[in-house]
Amino acid sequence: MNKKGFTLIELLAIITILAILALITTPIVMNLIDDSRKNTFENSVQGVYRTIQQDYTQYGYTGEQEYSITSNTITNTTDTERTNKVVTFSGKIDKGSGSATAYYDSAAGALKITLQVQNNSFCASNSTKNGRNEYVITKGNC
């Protein structure tokens, strides 16, 4: 008798092997996706920082300036004389919000910016260590 096809045992063996492969690869793929989202969020936060830095120096501020951050816009909430207080930044923080403060530190001779931004997945805050701006990104809300 000439039978073509697979037996039930052979099919079960193939299904079992595929299930094991799925169990092994799913967490790896999910971690890669999560890391990608985190890196995208961090790049957007860096865009926020650079935009605030540019806004502060472009308008020649010397005192403290407060900023409100939404999905892809930054609004200066301190300057009462400026008509267009909204600027956009490179990147987008989906369903995000935050705030920032910029001021010129005359003792250090540098512009200091503190910010806190969050979206549905991550929270970012910054600090300046040894003259370098560093971001702390944590999972969850701020």
Side-chain angles (χ1 to χ4, degrees):
M1 190 184 319
N2 187 6
K3 290 186 177 180
K4 292 185 179 182
F6 298 104
T7 66
L8 183 58
I9 299 296
E10 289 171 331
L11 289 173
L12 285 174
I14 290 172
I15 291 171
T16 303
I17 290 169
L18 290 175
I20 291 170
L21 285 173
L23 285 172
I24 292 170
T25 58
T26 299
I28 294 169
V29 170
M30 295 307 289
N31 283 339
L32 288 173
I33 291 170
D34 198 41
D35 287 347
S36 175
R37 287 183 179 149
K38 182 178 178 182
N39 289 337
T40 300
F41 179 72
E42 184 174 7
N43 287 337
S44 293
V45 170
Q46 290 172 355
V48 168
Y49 184 87
R50 285 190 302 270
T51 302
I52 290 173
Q53 194 174 33
Q54 181 181 3
D55 184 73
Y56 191 92
T57 54
Q58 178 180 351
Y59 288 96
Y61 296 127
T62 55
E64 186 174 285
Q65 297 294 308
E66 298 285 332
Y67 294 89
S68 172
I69 303 158
T70 58
S71 290
N72 65 343
T73 60
I74 302 169
T75 305
N76 183 319
T77 58
T78 307
D79 190 345
T80 56
E81 297 176 12
R82 194 166 129 198
T83 55
N84 183 12
K85 300 181 189 185
V86 178
V87 292
T88 58
F89 60 92
S90 60
K92 184 172 183 178
I93 301 174
D94 290 327
K95 299 176 186 168
S97 62
S99 62
T101 304
Y103 64 95
Y104 185 77
D105 185 353
S106 57
L111 176 64
K112 301 284 185 175
I113 299 172
T114 58
L115 59 83
Q116 188 171 31
V117 182
Q118 69 181 16
N119 64 7
N120 286 344
S121 303
F122 301 103
C123 170
S125 57
N126 74 322
S127 62
T128 305
K129 293 181 182 174
N130 299 326
R132 294 188 54 208
N133 189 47
E134 295 183 7
Y135 300 95
V136 178
I137 309 255
T138 56
K139 196 163 181 115
N141 291 331
C142 296

